[in-house]
Amino acid sequence: MAKEVKNVEYGLEKIFEGAQDFLPLLGTDYVEFYVGNAKQAAHFYKTAFGFQSYAYKGLETGCKEYASYVLSQDKIRLVLTTPLDSKSPINEHLAKHGDGVKVIALWVEDATKSFDETVKRGAKPFMKPTVEKDEHGEVIRSGIYTYGETVHIFVERKNYKGIFLPGYSAWKSDYNPTSVGLKFIDHMVGNVGWGEMNQWVKWYEDVMGFVNFLSFDDKQITTEYSALMSKVMSNGNGRIKFPINEPAIGKKKSQIEEYIDFYEGPGCQHIAVATDDIIKTVKELRARGVEFLSPPPHAYYEDIPKRLGKHMDMMKEDMNVIESLAIMVDADEEGYLLQIFTKPVEDRPTLFFEIIQRMGAKGFGAGNFKALFESIEREQEKRGTL
Ligand code: FE2
């Protein structure tokens, strides 16, 4: 596993030994979902999750094939896209997978070089480098396939001054619910099939120059009933983190297998978004109707001091409030973190969100996995998919 070069705030400098330099990534540019009804989905993400109207492309801007709504909250940009007729290839994606993440777009200095270098290393091309222009300048985008039908688009926007991308107009709305305090994407997790995790770990190493900096085996991620394995991939500067999960054998069906069955293939399982005040954010999300997984038992909260150890003194949050909101707490060597998971945001039990506040910890809440998965299993039981 990769060693961290030095303990620094994640910046542009390389912090992981062994990461390759051929694909410098500046950050996540946007995440695009293919959805059945982008207009209604946009309303949901504004109302429930506190996203703001940002940009729009559709019939009114001269695009006859699809409508795309861009929503923003601090550094996060979501794009919700719906086809406007039956001929669009987006329909096949929707029919097969339901609503879900199609594009994880990465902000780069040079989209042509990003495409050439990754394709040379074995990536399957999705979109050749393409220049898009309008009166605000130009953007170059290119894209490659990752797991399943999910793609990475490389976005080079240094010569662009417009709102989002050429072809989009600013989206002004009279309906503007306030932000819930979501700041940026902390990590995005991919679910892949039986025995495929190491193949995708190698793909991120070879094709993208990423390193594997944390691993969890099925002994660590197991409950009485189900298990999974996970390896966390990061780019060199630590800004982009993609854990990859695969199902493992247990007495009953793994949640990863349930996802793969309903998504009909590998795909993005969850998007973790960071906040710097999880109590405020979760109170707000609950008030707006966002559904979270059922709370861990009281005994889980009684064990927190043990789990936090030396970091317990640092913890400022009121334990009763944490428990009343069903927020989970974990720690690693460097600090602690607070996290909570929503139920899936579609009818198919596929994509969900994680809200995370890091107080120094760089892990992913391994100490919470058991409680989390028991909670997911209670939902699987109700769905008849355990
Ligand atoms: Fe996560």
Side-chain angles (χ1 to χ4, degrees):
M1 248 184 292
K3 274 218 310 281
E4 211 171 304
V5 175
K6 53 188 184 281
N7 181 12
V8 288
E9 280 296 298
Y10 294 135
L12 266 182
E13 68 273 47
K14 192 159 94 174
I15 63 161
F16 288 114
E17 243 171 36
Q20 302 293 306
D21 288 329
F22 60 83
L23 185 64
L25 301 174
L26 304 170
T28 308
D29 196 284
Y30 63 88
V31 178
E32 182 171 15
F33 295 61
Y34 283 174
V35 297
N37 188 332
K39 185 175 208 153
Q40 290 188 5
H43 189 74
F44 170 77
Y45 282 106
K46 284 171 69 171
T47 304
F49 280 89
F51 281 89
Q52 316 293 310
S53 302
Y54 188 70
Y56 170 80
K57 181 177 184 177
L59 291 173
E60 295 82 352
T61 66
C63 178
K64 295 190 169 58
E65 293 88 47
Y66 57 87
S68 289
Y69 292 75
V70 188
L71 303 163
S72 73
Q73 189 163 183
D74 205 324
K75 292 192 172 64
I76 312 163
R77 279 196 295 232
L78 303 184
V79 182
L80 305 167
T81 296
T82 285
L84 291 172
D85 63 46
S86 63
K87 292 185 283 298
S88 166
I90 298 170
N91 291 295
E92 285 162 40
H93 198 280
L94 279 173
K96 188 167 173 61
H97 305 296
D99 287 11
V101 172
K102 174 64 180 177
V103 178
I104 301 168
L106 303 166
W107 175 30
V108 297
E109 273 294 314
D110 186 335
T112 307
K113 181 166 179 267
S114 301
F115 181 84
D116 292 344
E117 294 287 342
T118 52
V119 169
K120 192 169 82 188
R121 287 169 169 81
K124 181 180 160 195
F126 171 72
M127 179 170 109
K128 284 189 180 145
T130 306
V131 183
E132 296 158 296
K133 290 183 187 188
D134 68 9
E135 68 272 29
H136 305 292
E138 67 170 47
V139 171
I140 305 174
R141 290 193 299 160
S142 62
I144 57 172
Y145 280 95
T146 173
Y147 45 78
E149 291 195 282
T150 315
V151 302
H152 289 311
I153 299 253
F154 302 115
V155 185
E156 174 185 334
R157 48 171 73 256
K158 58 179 179 279
N159 297 315
Y160 194 63
K161 301 251 175 323
I163 179 87
F164 178 56
L165 293 173
Y168 283 79
S169 301
W171 172 20
K172 301 267 181 256
S173 172
D174 294 330
Y175 177 64
N176 302 298
T178 53
S179 154
V180 298
L182 302 178
K183 300 273 183 192
F184 59 88
I185 293 178
D186 184 276
H187 60 274
M188 289 183 68
V189 180
N191 280 346
V192 300
W194 292 97
E196 291 176 4
M197 176 180 71
N198 285 328
Q199 171 194 326
W200 286 102
V201 164
K202 191 166 166 22
W203 187 91
Y204 274 103
E205 286 170 350
D206 294 350
V207 173
M208 305 276 284
F210 280 37
V211 293
N212 168 217
F213 85 106
L214 276 177
S215 294
F216 307 99
D217 65 24
D218 51 344
K219 308 271 179 315
Q220 289 159 287
I221 317 185
T222 187
T223 68
E224 189 189 345
Y225 296 122
S226 66
L228 63 84
M229 293 187 271
S230 188
K231 287 190 176 176
V232 184
M233 305 306 293
S234 173
N235 77 319
N237 65 21
R239 286 195 183 183
I240 311 289
K241 290 186 228 66
F242 295 142
I244 309 286
N245 296 335
E246 75 171 34
I249 295 182
K251 271 194 232 161
K252 295 193 175 184
K253 191 186 255 189
S254 165
Q255 49 157 309
I256 309 304
E257 199 181 349
E258 184 198 35
Y259 175 102
I260 304 265
D261 286 353
F262 278 92
Y263 199 70
E264 297 192 16
C268 176
Q269 179 212 33
H270 74 265
I271 305 175
V273 283
T275 170
D276 50 24
D277 188 348
I278 198 166
I279 290 176
K280 199 166 156 219
T281 297
V282 172
K283 273 186 185 164
E284 193 61 41
L285 290 168
R286 286 190 180 279
R288 295 170 185 221
V290 172
E291 295 177 322
F292 292 94
L293 290 173
S294 59
H298 179 65
Y300 166 90
Y301 289 94
E302 289 178 332
D303 282 348
I304 285 181
K306 203 165 71 195
R307 204 167 324 118
L308 257 63
K310 63 180 180 183
H311 303 303
M312 193 60 205
D313 294 344
M314 260 171 71
M315 193 170 160
K316 291 188 283 289
E317 294 77 12
D318 181 329
M319 198 66 78
N320 293 322
V321 177
I322 294 285
E323 184 172 356
S324 71
L325 293 169
I327 292 168
M328 301 202 281
V329 190
D330 192 30
D332 62 17
E333 261 308 293
E334 291 160 83
Y336 68 102
L337 62 79
L338 303 130
Q339 64 185 169
I340 189 168
F341 299 83
T342 72
K343 290 185 181 177
V345 291
E346 318 73 19
D347 289 297
R348 297 193 198 193
T350 54
L351 178 78
F352 58 88
F353 284 84
E354 170 184 351
I355 314 299
I356 184 167
Q357 181 179 356
R358 292 186 183 278
M359 303 298 287
K362 296 209 176 87
F364 293 82
N368 288 330
F369 286 163
K370 191 165 189 287
L372 167 65
F373 299 146
E374 283 169 352
S375 183
I376 292 177
E377 282 164 13
R378 288 194 285 276
E379 300 296 323
Q380 282 181 267
E381 182 86 70
K382 287 184 215 159
R383 293 193 282 261
T385 59
L386 184 61

